[in-house]
Amino acid sequence: MAAYEKRRPGTAPSGGQAVGSEAEFLLRAGVTAMVREALLKVLEARPEEPVSFLADYFERLVLASPEPAGPPQRLAQALWYVSLAHHSHRTAFDSNTGAAYEVLGGGERRRAAGVDGRLYSELLRSICQHGEAPAEVATALLRRVRCRDHEAVPFDVFRYGVLTCFVLLEFAAKADALFAVLDGGSGAADARLCQAVLRALEEALGSGHFVQPRRYLEAGSRLGPDGLALAMERALQERKLSGSMSREEFLKKATALFVAKVKPVE
């Protein structure tokens, strides 16, 4: 019998060395870093279905090339990146926005030059289509944060535009929840109450423009239950006829207040 046995490359003899060999293999193949990155993305995004999130994440990694071939593929990949984490998770959101910027810019080599203005506008338009914001309000917002098609968009402008669009969607969702309280499930609410709430919301937002889009949500959150109750009570005390306001009209008016506060891109 031979004094030794032939082993396949990469196998280790018994006695505890196999674990080290396997770890080295995973490290050399890049699997360790890839799995670590995937787990970090799960912790950052905290999705309701982590397993489905991971499956989608790895599927996109397999399908994605280092430099996507055409604008549609690059836009889809950039939209996926910016949607991975909520904007309140600032470090994760900024990292993902940077990855989207590199994808649209054609990779690290073109980052200094900036992203094409047309692709930037298309990305913002795609973001706004995934929420409750009325189409005309989203269009008005895009006019304030867009750049010309031929312009090279720097990263700080790119980040501002992406963040502002996501904040608009959240603002619209909060306005929708507010209307649900006013209408009681009927689909229409007393116009006096709606106007009173809108005035209170406008006062909470204050005057001037906010440099940080997140502050729109912070200002809106100051419109607490007491403030709402007082505004509604005053409205009901007014001795005048009142019609009704639909959900669509209320959302349009509420989100228009938001857009009016957005600082235009210069």
Side-chain angles (χ1 to χ4, degrees):
M1 185 175 180
Y4 64 90
E5 60 177 348
K6 294 183 180 180
R7 298 186 180 88
R8 289 174 296 173
T11 60
S14 60
Q17 297 183 12
V19 175
S21 175
E22 291 165 356
E24 291 173 3
F25 166 75
L26 294 175
L27 191 63
R28 289 196 305 270
V31 175
T32 302
M34 181 174 60
V35 171
R36 183 185 297 116
E37 180 69 16
L39 293 178
L40 284 175
K41 294 297 183 186
V42 172
L43 292 174
E44 292 169 353
R46 300 185 182 277
E48 294 183 1
E49 299 182 2
V51 175
S52 298
F53 179 92
L54 282 173
D56 181 61
Y57 179 84
F58 285 119
E59 181 181 4
R60 288 179 181 272
L61 283 183
V62 171
L63 295 177
S65 59
E67 191 167 325
Q73 292 80 11
R74 289 158 62 188
L75 280 168
Q77 190 173 352
L79 181 61
W80 176 66
Y81 271 124
V82 298
S83 302
L84 279 175
H86 189 267
H87 60 80
S88 61
H89 303 151
R90 299 190 182 187
T91 301
F93 182 80
D94 288 349
S95 175
N96 295 333
T97 302
Y101 187 79
E102 291 178 10
V103 166
L104 291 182
E108 189 73 29
R109 296 187 303 274
R110 290 188 54 191
R111 182 170 180 132
V115 168
D116 179 78
R118 181 179 58 83
L119 290 178
Y120 163 73
S121 297
E122 286 292 335
L123 177 64
L124 299 189
R125 192 173 295 109
S126 297
I127 293 172
C128 290
Q129 289 173 352
H130 289 78
E132 298 289 341
E136 54 267 47
V137 174
T139 299
L141 174 67
L142 294 177
R143 283 198 295 265
R144 297 179 78 89
V145 297
R146 71 181 178 184
C147 296
R148 295 183 179 87
D149 288 352
H150 64 275
E151 286 183 317
V153 182
F155 179 70
D156 58 340
V157 172
F158 180 86
R159 180 188 176 280
Y160 175 75
V162 170
L163 177 59
T164 302
C165 287
F166 277 113
V167 174
L168 169 64
L169 298 186
E170 186 166 347
F171 193 92
K174 291 182 181 296
D176 190 34
L178 188 58
F179 183 80
V181 175
L182 298 175
D183 78 333
S186 64
D190 189 296
R192 290 175 300 175
L193 295 180
C194 292
Q195 292 293 355
V197 170
L198 290 170
R199 286 195 298 269
L201 180 58
E202 186 175 15
E203 291 174 1
L205 290 174
S207 60
H209 297 133
F210 288 149
V211 177
Q212 294 295 331
R214 291 188 185 93
R215 290 193 58 195
Y216 308 136
L217 296 176
E218 296 171 3
S221 67
R222 292 199 294 268
L223 186 62
D226 293 341
L228 281 175
L230 181 60
M232 293 166 67
E233 182 180 358
R234 289 174 177 172
L236 290 175
Q237 290 175 351
E238 295 179 1
R239 296 179 177 276
K240 60 180 180 180
L241 296 176
S242 174
S244 61
M245 183 178 293
S246 66
R247 171 183 174 272
E248 290 73 18
E249 184 180 358
F250 183 83
L251 282 181
K252 188 183 301 183
K253 290 178 179 294
T255 50
L257 293 176
F258 167 88
V259 172
K261 300 297 180 183
V262 173
K263 183 178 180 180
V265 171
E266 297 178 354

